[in-house]
C-alpha cells in the first residue's frame, strides 16, 4: 500500500502580490475568433456579407479579436452541423492556422449542432444570440437590466445544459451505469427553471414599479416621445443634444442598454418627456423581446416615436425594415412617428440620404445641424393631436388652470360668477383629467 495516504497534507502557497494583481486586473488569454456566416435565399433581411460584417462589429464590442471570416452558401440546413461536413473541415483548418480559440456563427445553432461543431473544431463555438447576450451582460447596469439579461441567458442555456455534463453521463450499457450524470443534469435543470421563475417574479415587480412611474408621469401633463432605431444609429447622441442628458456615447453596438428619461423643452414653450431605449438589431435572440418587455413597454406606451436612422450606412434601408418589424411585434406599429435621418455630416457632398421625403428630418446629432427643425416638427406633431377643450373651472382650482397652461395653449380665459371660463388646446389625456377633476368635485358637493 502506498505511503501517500499517511503523508502530511501540503499547504498551498499564496501567490506573490504581482500575480494577485494580475489576476485581479482580469488578465487572461485573449479570445481570438473565426467568424462563420451563410447565405440563403430569402432567409435574412441582410445578405451574408453585410450580416457577417455586423457580426464582426459585435465581436469587437464584446472584446474578441477577429482573425478570419468564412462565408458559405447553404441550400439546406445540415441537421448535425448546420453547414456541410466539407465546410466544417475547412473551418477547422482555418481555426488551426489562425490559432483561434472560438468560432462564432452568424446563425442560431441548436444545442446538438453546437455540441457537434465543438467536438469537430476543438474550440468553443457560440452563435450570434449568445454573443449579443454576452454584450448585454457587459452593458447592463440597472437592476432591471441585469435581471432581464440573466433571464434571457438562462432561457438560452436551459436546452444546452447537456453540454456541461458529458463527463458524468452514462458510460456504457447494463445495470449500474445509470446514475450520477443524469441525476446531476436533472438537478441542474431544475435549479435553472427555479431561477427563471424567480427572475420572472422579480421582473413582474419591476414591471409594476415601471407602471407606477408611467402612471405618475401620466398625471403630469407631458407627452412622451421615445427614441427608437437600429443599434449605433445615434439615439444617445441625439438624446444628449436635445436634453443634455449625459448618456454614454460610444461608436459601438449596444453602447447603452438601460432606458433614460429626460425633459424636452419644445419651441412653443411646452415640454415633453424624451425616452432613450435599447437599440434593435438583425437576428435578435429568441428570448430578447420577452425578457426586455418591461423596458420596451416605454416604446409601446409613447405618444410619439422618433425613428433614428443612420443615413450614412449603406444598409439603412434594411436596418429600417428590421426596426419596423420589431415595432410591429411590440404592438407599436400604429404609433405616430417621425423618421430622423441622422449622420448626414458623414454623407458625400451632394448625396441624398436614404428615404429623403417631406416627412423625414435630416440631421447631424453630433454637430447639431437640423436639430432646431426637428424640434419644430416634434412640436407641430404633438400640437396636431390636441383637443379643443371648453370648460368652466371653479375659481379655487387654480391648479387645473395651471395644468392647462402647462400642457397646451389657452385660447380664452375669463372670470365670471366665481368660475373661470376657459378654452384651451391640450392633449386628449389632459382634457380627460381636467374633466374628471371638475366632474368629481361637482358630484361630491352637498345638495342645497
Amino acid at each position: 500500500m502506498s505511503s501517500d495516504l499517511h503523508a502530511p497534507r501540503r499547504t498551498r502557497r499564496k501567490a506573490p502580490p504581482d500575480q494577485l494583481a494580475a489576476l485581479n486586473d482580469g488578465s487572461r488569454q485573449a479570445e481570438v475568433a473565426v467568424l462563420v456566416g451563410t447565405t440563403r435565399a430569402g432567409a435574412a433581411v441582410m445578405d451574408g456579407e453585410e450580416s457577417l460584417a455586423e457580426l464582426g462589429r459585435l465581436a469587437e464590442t464584446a472584446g474578441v479579436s477577429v482573425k478570419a471570416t468564412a462565408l458559405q452558401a447553404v441550400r439546406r440546413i445540415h441537421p448535425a452541423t448546420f453547414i456541410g461536413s466539407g465546410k466544417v473541415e475547412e473551418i477547422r483548418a482555418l481555426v488551426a492556422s489562425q490559432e483561434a480559440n472560438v468560432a462564432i456563427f452568424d446563425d442560431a445553432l441548436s444545442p446538438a449542432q453546437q455540441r457537434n461543431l465543438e467536438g469537430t473544431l476543438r474550440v468553443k463555438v457560440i452563435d450570434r444570440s449568445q454573443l449579443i447576450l454576452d454584450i448585454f451582460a457587459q452593458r447592463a447596469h440597472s437592476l432591471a437590466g441585469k435581471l432581464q439579461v440573466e433571464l434571457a441567458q438562462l432561457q438560452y442555456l436551459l436546452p444546452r445544459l447537456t453540454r456541461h455534463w458529458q463527463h458524468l453521463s452514462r458510460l456504457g450499457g447494463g445495470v449500474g451505469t445509470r446514475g450520477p450524470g443524469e441525476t446531476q443534469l436533472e438537478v441542474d435543470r431544475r435549479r435553472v427553471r427555479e431561477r427563471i421563475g424567480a427572475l420572472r417574479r422579480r421582473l413582474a415587480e419591476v414591471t409594476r414599479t415601471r407602471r407606477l412611474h408611467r402612471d405618475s408621469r401620466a398625471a403630469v401633463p407631458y407627452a412622451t416621445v421615445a427614441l427608437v432605431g437600429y443599434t449605433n444609429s445615434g439615439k444617445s447622441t441625439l438624446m444628449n443634444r436635445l436634453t443634455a442628458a449625459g448618456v454614454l456615447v460610444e461608436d459601438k453596438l449596444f453602447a447603452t442598454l438601460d432606458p433614460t428619461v429626460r425633459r424636452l423643452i419644445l419651441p412653443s414653450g411646452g415640454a415633453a418627456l424624451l425616452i432613450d431605449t435599447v437599440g434593435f438589431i438583425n437576428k435578435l435572440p429568441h428570448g430578447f423581446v420577452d425578457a426586455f418587455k418591461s423596458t420596451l413597454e416605454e416604446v409601446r406606451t409613447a405618444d410619439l416615436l422618433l425613428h433614428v436612422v443612420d443615413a450614412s450606412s449603406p444598409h439603412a434601408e434594411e436596418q429600417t425594415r428590421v426596426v419596423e418589424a420589431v415595432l410591429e411585434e411590440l404592438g407599436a406599429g400604429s404609433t405616430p412617428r417621425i423618421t430622423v435621418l441622422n449622420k448626414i455630416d458623414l454623407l458625400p457632398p451632394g448625396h441624398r440620404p436614404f428615404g429623403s421625403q417631406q416627412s423625414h428630418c435630416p440631421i447631424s446629432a453630433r454637430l447639431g445641424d437640423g436639430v432646431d427643425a426637428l424640434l419644430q416638427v416634434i412640436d407641430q406633431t404633438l400640437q396636431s393631436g390636441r383637443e379643443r377643450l371648453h370648460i368652466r373651472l371653479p375659481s379655487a382650482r387654480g391648479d387645473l388652470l395651471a395644468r392647462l397652461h402647462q400642457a397646451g395653449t389657452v385660447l380664452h380665459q375669463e372670470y365670471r360668477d366665481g368660475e373661470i371660463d376657459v378654452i384651451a388646446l391640450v392633449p386628449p389625456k389632459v382634457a380627460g383629467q381636467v374633466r374628471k377633476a371638475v366632474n368629481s368635485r361637482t358630484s361630491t358637493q352637498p345638495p342645497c
Side-chain angles (χ1 to χ4, degrees), residues 34-56:
V34 169
L35 308 184
V36 182
T38 59
T39 57
R40 287 174 289 158
V45 177
M46 298 182 181
D47 63 33
E49 291 184 358
E50 296 168 355
S51 186
L52 197 60
E54 185 177 79
L55 183 68

Side-chain angles (χ1 to χ4, degrees), residues 128-129 132 136 254 279-289 322 326 329:
R128 186 186 185 97
S129 298
I132 292 175
F136 285 170
F254 300 113
F280 304 144
I281 197 168
N282 188 33
K283 300 179 183 177
L284 277 172
H286 178 68
F288 173 86
V289 174
V322 169
V326 177
E329 187 176 356

Side-chain angles (χ1 to χ4, degrees), residues 63-141:
V64 178
S65 175
V66 177
K67 290 297 184 181
T69 62
L71 189 63
Q72 171 71 9
V74 176
R75 295 183 180 178
R76 67 178 184 86
I77 302 302
H78 196 285
T81 56
F82 192 85
I83 55 178
S85 57
K87 192 64 177 180
V88 172
E89 290 299 324
E90 292 181 19
I91 295 173
R92 186 171 67 145
L94 183 61
V95 166
S97 64
Q98 299 295 328
E99 297 183 350
N101 51 20
V102 59
I104 306 177
F105 279 68
D106 194 32
D107 299 272
L109 300 175
S110 69
Q113 290 167 346
Q114 199 168 1
R115 183 169 60 251
N116 293 336
L117 286 168
E118 285 189 346
T120 304
L121 301 179
R122 304 293 183 184
V123 294
K124 179 172 62 176
V125 174
I126 65 174
D127 59 13
R128 186 186 185 97
S129 298
Q130 192 171 357
L131 180 62
I132 292 175
L133 291 174
D134 184 79
I135 295 172
F136 285 170
Q138 297 178 28
R139 299 291 179 174
H141 299 294

Side-chain angles (χ1 to χ4, degrees), residues 354-396:
F354 154 75
S356 296
Q357 300 177 10
Q358 189 174 3
S359 59
H360 294 175
C361 296
I363 70 164
S364 170
R366 184 175 65 88
L367 302 179
D369 299 341
V371 172
D372 291 339
L374 172 62
L375 284 171
Q376 292 286 351
V377 175
I378 295 173
D379 203 355
Q380 293 170 7
T381 304
L382 293 176
Q383 292 277 3
S384 65
R386 297 192 175 188
E387 177 182 339
R388 183 183 178 92
L389 175 67
H390 187 187
I391 195 169
R392 288 190 173 185
L393 303 176
S395 58

Side-chain angles (χ1 to χ4, degrees), residues 138-413:
Q138 297 178 28
R139 299 291 179 174
H141 299 294
S142 68
L143 173 63
K146 292 177 180 178
L147 292 175
Q148 290 168 137
V149 168
E150 185 179 355
L151 175 60
Q153 287 179 323
L154 289 178
Q155 289 174 334
Y156 177 86
L157 175 65
L158 184 59
R160 292 167 169 79
L161 285 177
T162 53
R163 301 173 55 222
H164 302 283
W165 295 102
Q166 288 180 350
H167 60 289
L168 293 177
S169 61
R170 187 171 53 189
L171 301 178
V175 177
T177 57
R178 182 185 298 269
E182 295 185 357
T183 301
Q184 181 60 59
L185 178 58
E186 289 305 318
V187 169
D188 212 44
R189 284 176 175 167
R190 185 177 70 252
R191 288 175 177 171
V192 170
R193 292 191 186 101
E194 290 172 352
R195 180 60 180 165
I196 288 175
L199 288 172
R200 284 175 173 164
R201 289 190 294 272
R202 291 284 302 278
L203 281 174
E205 296 174 3
V206 172
T207 302
R208 284 193 294 270
T209 303
R210 289 184 185 273
R211 189 178 300 115
L212 291 175
H213 291 167
R214 281 193 297 270
D215 293 343
S216 63
R217 290 200 300 265
V220 179
Y222 292 150
T224 55
V225 181
L227 291 167
V228 298
Y230 208 80
T231 180
N232 205 38
S233 61
K235 298 185 302 301
S236 297
T237 304
L238 180 58
M239 180 82 168
N240 291 338
R241 172 66 61 177
L242 294 175
T243 65
V247 178
L248 172 68
V249 174
E250 286 185 305
D251 187 18
K252 290 183 178 181
L253 305 185
F254 300 113
T256 53
L257 181 60
D258 300 311
T260 305
V261 183
R262 292 292 185 272
R263 186 181 179 188
L264 173 66
I265 303 301
L266 300 172
S268 64
L273 294 179
L274 187 63
I275 305 172
D276 186 16
T277 61
V278 62
F280 304 144
I281 197 168
N282 188 33
K283 300 179 183 177
L284 277 172
H286 178 68
F288 173 86
V289 174
D290 287 336
F292 283 78
K293 272 186 177 176
S294 62
T295 296
L296 298 175
E297 188 76 8
E298 304 288 355
V299 175
R300 194 179 65 81
T301 58
D303 298 301
L304 177 66
L305 301 179
L306 297 186
H307 181 180
V308 184
V309 179
D310 181 0
S312 66
S313 172
H315 317 306
E317 186 174 359
E318 292 86 351
Q319 293 174 357
T320 300
R321 284 200 289 264
V322 169
V323 174
E324 293 293 338
V326 177
L327 291 176
E328 287 289 342
E329 187 176 356
L330 293 173
S334 60
T335 304
R337 72 196 63 180
I338 299 171
T339 301
V340 182
L341 303 178
N342 191 25
K343 303 185 183 181
I344 59 172
D345 54 304
L346 301 180
L347 292 173
H351 187 278
R352 294 186 61 192
F354 154 75
S356 296
Q357 300 177 10
Q358 189 174 3
S359 59
H360 294 175
C361 296
I363 70 164
S364 170
R366 184 175 65 88
L367 302 179
D369 299 341
V371 172
D372 291 339
L374 172 62
L375 284 171
Q376 292 286 351
V377 175
I378 295 173
D379 203 355
Q380 293 170 7
T381 304
L382 293 176
Q383 292 277 3
S384 65
R386 297 192 175 188
E387 177 182 339
R388 183 183 178 92
L389 175 67
H390 187 187
I391 195 169
R392 288 190 173 185
L393 303 176
S395 58
R397 294 306 304 267
D399 59 324
L400 296 179
L401 181 61
R403 176 175 294 189
L404 294 176
H405 276 281
Q406 191 177 31
T409 304
V410 176
L411 305 176
H412 172 78
Q413 177 180 325

